[in-house]
Amino acid sequence: MVLLRSHLPTLLVLLLSSIFSFSNSASIEENFIQCLSFYSDKAPPFSSSIVTPKNDSFTNVLDSSAQNLRLLVPSAPKPEFIFTPLNESHVQVAVICSKKLGIHMRVRSGGHDYEGLSYVSEIETPFIIIDLAKLRAVEVDIQDSSAWVQAGATVGEAYYRISEKSPVHGFPAGLCTSLGIGGHIVGGAYGSMMRKYGLGADNVLDAKIVDANGRLLDREAMGEDVFWAIRGGGGGSFGIVLSWKLNLVPVPETVTVFTVSKTLEQDATKIVQRWQEVAPNIDEELFMRVIIQPASTANKTERTISTSYNALFLGDADTLLQVMQQKFPELGLTKNDCLETSWIKSVLYIAGFPKDTPPEVLLQGKSTFKNYFKAKSDFVRDPIPETGLEGLWQRLLEEDSPLMIWNPYGGMMNSFSDSDSPFPHRNGTLYKIQYLTLWQDGDKNATKHIEWIRKLYNYMTPYVSKFPREAYVNYRDLDLGMNKKNSTSYIQATAWGNMYFKDNFNRLVKIKTKFDPENVFRHEQSIPPLPVSRLKDRKCNKWG
């Protein structure tokens, strides 16, 4: 067992920090290893947990969980090294040593950050990556309807372990099963049961976080303000979340899934317009998203628009058919379209795995989506008229490989106020739009595709939320604004902060100022602390 000296009283930890000094002639890696060894007793050789660009395995480790290939091109900044902690105390000493050494750190749990902020630093060098890939334990307590899940585990691993213990328990988080649960929940964590149970962040009971001083804190120790902030306030601003205690929710033994596609030639425009009115208001047991993209026409000489209605219903097919016949007959859903299955197999279906894929595939934790891409997001509060949809289709047909996903809100999401968590996109939201453009030729034509999605985003301005135009923090978009090198400006950060968090941004700033006043945890869109001159009384900082 590792005996971490930072478990000693805080004053003694600070004293030890002042005693230890680094060698000016040693490399950053050598100093880091020396510091780790100083703070840990009976630890394994830390050199085996560190990979540098000199190691043959460096590229494989760096690329292992990174989803957006756009951020892995040769020109993208690379870390000095990647440190993979084997236990919680290793994360604590890594924070202490990074701070002592003055080296910038990025933290990666699942690698799904759309702008690569967990493994690329555009604004500060040198930097290191703390990769939580080895911290992926899942401990399920069915009697308590809860589970402790470490940050490096994927949501798919958590789902599998829950279903392994009970076929009638689940958790309302992401549709993509390779999401790292650490970074997923800090952004809110929506999924196919959100209309029934809310977000993943709404169903967290406790958490463990390492703060800027290397202390390991649970909910009671961190306080309710910080616990509020890490459930939707975005990753990389307050500390390193090591694990979540999840509140498991009931799921029926039999659920139903379906996918029905309609093209423009099959009246897709009118059906989509009707979906906008139906999907947010239909029974909360039904989550019915729309996946929109160009497709070949029957003669394969031209392209049309395909709209695929991809759904999970928490009940049997007969009940679903009754609901759809009453509320959305325009789709023409039939019994043959429906597949009755278990909740865990519905996870595989919604995630796009081939039919008959065994649930054990979820334990591999591998992403099925690795592309060069750029993404954006919007929230819609009023239905888009047919003329707006027709203009949208026209623009989608101009791009090589665009994709849009519309996720319905309503149901339980309307029961939360905007301030219940930092995630403010609640009552009154009809649906969320995710825009994507994908390509395969590296950074050769990246500019063309990025310019296209920016123009599409501008076109959508009249049809989406306003004052502010809202965006989803887990679909990071650096077009909205960035912190500058070594400078996190409150004024500049409000540009994107208000879009992600609305009025909750100011509360997040106040919590950041108290909990991490030195801005140890920072990145291109991290929450800024107020400058020291604006603090009324630093001595009153209850976190010391």
Side-chain angles (χ1 to χ4, degrees), residues 434-448:
Q434 178 178 191
Y435 310 88
L436 291 154
T437 178
L438 306 93
W439 62 94
Q440 295 297 330
D441 49 357
D443 53 1
K444 183 178 178 181
N445 292 306
T447 301
K448 180 187 80 168

Side-chain angles (χ1 to χ4, degrees), residues 171-173 184-185 188-191 194 197-204 231 246:
F171 185 71
H184 182 47
I185 291 179
Y190 80 88
M194 61 183 280
Y197 295 116
L199 305 174
D202 299 325
N203 290 275
V204 169
R231 293 177 298 119
L246 310 180

Side-chain angles (χ1 to χ4, degrees), residues 257-489:
V257 293
F258 71 81
T259 302
V260 173
S261 297
K262 300 290 183 181
T263 64
L264 295 183
E265 294 74 23
Q266 296 169 313
D267 231 2
T269 303
K270 289 187 180 298
I271 296 173
V272 167
Q273 177 150 42
R274 179 63 180 150
W275 174 91
Q276 295 181 88
E277 300 168 350
V278 171
N281 298 301
I282 206 166
D283 298 42
E284 62 183 15
E285 284 79 11
L286 178 59
F287 175 87
M288 179 172 47
R289 64 177 180 166
V290 190
I291 301 170
I292 304 170
Q293 58 193 327
S296 298
T297 56
N299 60 21
K300 297 185 179 180
T301 60
E302 297 179 352
R303 294 203 304 173
T304 185
I305 293 296
S306 169
T307 60
S308 295
Y309 297 81
N310 180 235
L312 167 68
F313 178 69
L314 299 174
D316 60 40
D318 288 340
T319 306
L320 169 62
L321 288 167
Q322 291 176 15
V323 170
M324 291 293 286
Q325 183 58 42
Q326 292 174 5
K327 305 290 181 62
F328 195 23
E330 293 86 353
L331 188 62
L333 184 70
T334 68
K335 187 70 176 278
N336 288 337
D337 298 320
C338 300
L339 172 64
E340 291 185 331
T341 188
S342 63
W343 173 74
I344 192 61
K345 289 186 177 179
S346 79
V347 166
L348 297 170
Y349 179 92
I350 295 293
F353 284 96
K355 187 179 180 182
D356 298 326
T357 300
E360 285 73 20
V361 72
L362 297 173
L363 297 178
Q364 297 177 11
K366 294 182 179 179
S367 175
T368 57
F369 182 92
K370 277 183 179 275
N371 291 276
Y372 298 89
F373 71 90
K374 172 65 180 176
K376 289 180 173 291
S377 63
D378 263 319
F379 289 85
V380 178
R381 292 180 170 268
D382 296 294
I384 301 172
E386 280 193 34
T387 53
L389 295 176
E390 289 166 353
L392 176 58
W393 308 152
Q394 179 183 342
R395 286 160 176 81
L396 289 174
L397 290 170
E398 294 171 356
E399 176 62 345
D400 297 340
S401 185
L403 176 68
M404 294 180 71
I405 304 175
W406 295 10
N407 293 294
Y409 276 50
M412 177 60 77
M413 292 297 288
N414 287 343
S415 300
F416 294 91
S417 74
D418 287 1
S419 60
D420 282 345
S421 77
F423 182 97
H425 320 289
R426 304 285 192 165
N427 195 16
T429 298
L430 298 181
Y431 57 95
K432 176 179 63 186
I433 296 177
Q434 178 178 191
Y435 310 88
L436 291 154
T437 178
L438 306 93
W439 62 94
Q440 295 297 330
D441 49 357
D443 53 1
K444 183 178 178 181
N445 292 306
T447 301
K448 180 187 80 168
H449 301 295
I450 292 172
E451 285 301 316
W452 174 84
I453 200 170
R454 287 172 177 165
K455 290 179 180 178
L456 179 69
Y457 187 73
N458 288 338
Y459 167 77
M460 292 295 289
T461 302
Y463 306 116
V464 297
S465 59
K466 301 173 180 64
F467 310 115
R469 182 174 185 173
E470 300 170 43
Y472 180 37
V473 69
N474 267 2
Y475 295 160
R476 290 279 184 194
D477 181 5
L478 294 184
D479 289 348
L480 305 183
M482 288 174 55
N483 297 322
K484 292 184 178 179
K485 183 177 181 180
N486 299 323
S487 175
T488 309
S489 164

